[in-house]
């Protein structure tokens, strides 16, 4: 006798969770993304009013030349070409030189100070350094200039005590501006680079030591390559900070040191020539272009730094 085999019932395959059934809405993710747009509308409106309109007006007037006799205006490259030649080119080069030198010195000094704070291992010292750096980083402009004049000026306290005049030192020169800029840029660099230095893992040091590497070899082959994006990003930030500073240089040196910010202020106020407002806007446009380049360089460096140390 043979047993009658009962036919086995086959279960239909389960439908994947990600599969969409007929009639289901396939544009749900897109609708969700659109739902977030109203939340950022005020931000873009603020950017358009506070930055877009002034930037557009500046660019429009920078390429506009007004005839002094007839009062008519026409589009021309005269303001832009003038802003990149002669004394104005010297002022732009002076600002770039001052910013580069200050940025390099502030980056090196700030990184060394921040690393010394971390190596100390004292939380109270770190809190004191961070708090002081936050205060000093925001102490700039005319108050800083007056403080330096009272301290290192011709009749300043430190100048008379150390008799700095015999050495030929003068605060009202390019070197004096560098010292004044470092006063607030070094603390700013300390605050900027501390999180990156904290990101260096102790396991990396232990692994390097177990392989027989010295401290110098660790910094050369591991520490500096990892920190390089953060250091370069901090240097770019320092450059932008120094490049945009105006009040400190205006109070300390006036027009004795050619800087583009002082030339823009003189052109707008008519201290040199009357009716040079559009030329001042052309020089401002040059600064905006350099600032955009600085931002374009800093963003990728910041992303690469966060990838390693985040």
């Amino acid at each position: 006798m043979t047993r009658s085999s009962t036919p086995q019932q086959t279960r239909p395959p389960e439908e994947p969770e990600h599969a969409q059934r007929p009639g289901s809405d396939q544009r749900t993710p897109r609708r969700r993304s659109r739902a977030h747009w109203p939340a950022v509308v005020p931000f873009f409106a603020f950017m358009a009013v506070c930055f877009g309109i002034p930037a557009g007006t500046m660019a429009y007037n920078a390429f506009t030349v007004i005839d002094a006799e007839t009062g008519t205006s026409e589009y021309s490259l005269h303001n832009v070409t003038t802003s990149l030649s002669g004394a104005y080119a010297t002022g732009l080069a002076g600002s770039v030189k001052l910013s580069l030198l200050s940025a390099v010195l502030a980056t090196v000094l700030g990184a060394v100070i921040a690393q010394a704070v971390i190596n100390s291992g004292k939380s109270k010292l770190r809190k004191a350094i961070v708090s002081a750096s936050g205060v000093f980083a925001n102490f700039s402009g005319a108050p800083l200039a007056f403080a330096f004049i009272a301290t290192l000026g011709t009749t300043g306290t430190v100048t008379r005590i150390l008799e700095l005049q015999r050495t030929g030192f003068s605060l009202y020169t390019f070197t004096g501006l560098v010292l004044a800029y470092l006063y607030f840029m070094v603390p700013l660099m300390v605050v900027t680079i501390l999180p990156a230095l904290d990101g260096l893992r102790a396991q990396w040091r232990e692994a390097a030591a177990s392989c027989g590497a010295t401290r110098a070899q660790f910094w050369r082959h591991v520490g500096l390559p990892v920190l390089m994006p953060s250091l370069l990003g901090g240097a770019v930030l320092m450059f932008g900070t120094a490049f945009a500073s105006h009040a400190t240089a205006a109070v300390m040196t006036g027009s004795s040191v050619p800087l583009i910010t002082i030339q823009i202020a003189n052109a707008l106020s008519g201290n040199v020539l009357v009716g040079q407002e559009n030329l001042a806007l052309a020089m401002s446009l040059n600064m905006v272009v350099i600032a955009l380049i600085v931002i374009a360089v800093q963003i990728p460096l910041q992303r690469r730094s966060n990838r390693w140390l985040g």
Side-chain angles (χ1 to χ4, degrees):
M1 298 178 62
T2 59
R3 296 182 181 180
S4 60
S5 59
T6 60
Q8 296 182 356
Q9 298 179 356
T10 59
R11 298 177 60 184
E14 296 183 356
E15 186 177 0
E17 296 181 357
H18 63 274
Q20 297 187 3
R21 298 179 180 177
S24 62
D25 190 3
Q26 299 180 0
R27 294 179 298 177
T28 301
R30 184 178 299 177
R31 289 184 177 181
R32 290 179 180 177
S33 62
R34 290 179 180 177
H36 295 290
W37 274 102
V40 297
V41 169
F43 171 75
F44 285 109
F46 173 81
M47 294 289 292
V49 173
C50 297
F51 294 96
I53 295 178
T57 304
M58 178 184 62
Y60 173 79
N61 291 328
F63 292 97
T64 303
V65 177
I66 300 176
D67 192 352
E69 297 180 357
T70 61
T72 58
S73 59
E74 61 180 358
Y75 294 105
S76 175
L77 296 176
H78 176 73
N79 294 326
V80 177
T81 55
T82 304
S83 65
L84 295 175
S85 60
Y88 303 110
T90 303
L92 180 60
S95 294
V96 172
K97 180 181 177 181
L98 175 63
S99 302
L100 281 176
L101 181 59
S102 302
V104 171
L105 293 178
T107 301
V108 175
L109 295 176
V112 171
I113 294 174
Q115 182 61 33
V117 172
I118 292 178
N119 289 338
S120 66
K122 299 179 180 179
S123 59
K124 293 184 179 180
L125 176 62
R126 174 167 180 158
K127 292 179 180 179
I129 295 296
V130 172
S131 300
S133 299
V135 174
F136 294 151
N138 292 281
F139 185 70
S140 59
L144 177 63
F146 288 129
F148 264 82
I149 291 173
T151 305
L152 294 172
T154 305
T155 58
T157 305
V158 177
T159 303
R160 289 182 296 176
I161 293 176
L162 300 180
E163 297 182 354
L164 295 179
Q165 291 181 346
R166 295 184 177 181
T167 62
F169 172 80
S170 177
L171 181 65
Y172 314 109
T173 58
F174 184 87
T175 304
L177 280 180
V178 173
L179 292 177
Y181 279 29
L182 290 179
Y183 184 88
F184 64 88
M185 290 175 61
V186 171
L188 180 59
M189 186 62 193
V190 172
V191 177
T192 303
I193 202 62
L194 267 176
L197 291 174
D198 288 333
L200 288 178
R201 297 180 177 86
Q203 294 85 348
W204 297 347
R205 301 174 185 270
E206 296 173 358
S210 62
C211 293
T214 62
R215 180 176 298 183
Q217 291 175 336
F218 167 78
W219 282 108
R220 179 182 177 183
H221 298 285
V222 180
L224 285 179
V226 173
L227 288 175
M228 190 57 63
S230 298
L231 291 174
L232 293 178
V236 171
L237 178 62
M238 297 301 106
F239 176 86
T241 302
F243 189 72
S245 299
H246 165 67
T248 302
V251 174
M252 282 183 53
T253 61
S255 299
S256 60
V257 177
L259 298 176
I260 188 173
T261 53
I262 298 177
Q263 290 175 343
I264 291 174
N266 293 334
L268 288 174
S269 59
N271 291 340
V272 181
L273 294 174
V274 180
Q276 298 295 316
E277 292 81 5
N278 289 351
L279 178 59
L281 295 179
M283 289 187 287
S284 301
L285 184 62
N286 298 335
M287 291 191 64
V288 170
V289 172
I290 295 178
L292 292 177
I293 295 174
V294 169
I295 295 174
V297 172
Q298 185 183 13
I299 292 177
L301 292 174
Q302 191 67 28
R303 289 179 179 177
R304 186 173 182 180
S305 175
N306 295 335
R307 186 186 308 171
W308 279 97
L309 303 173

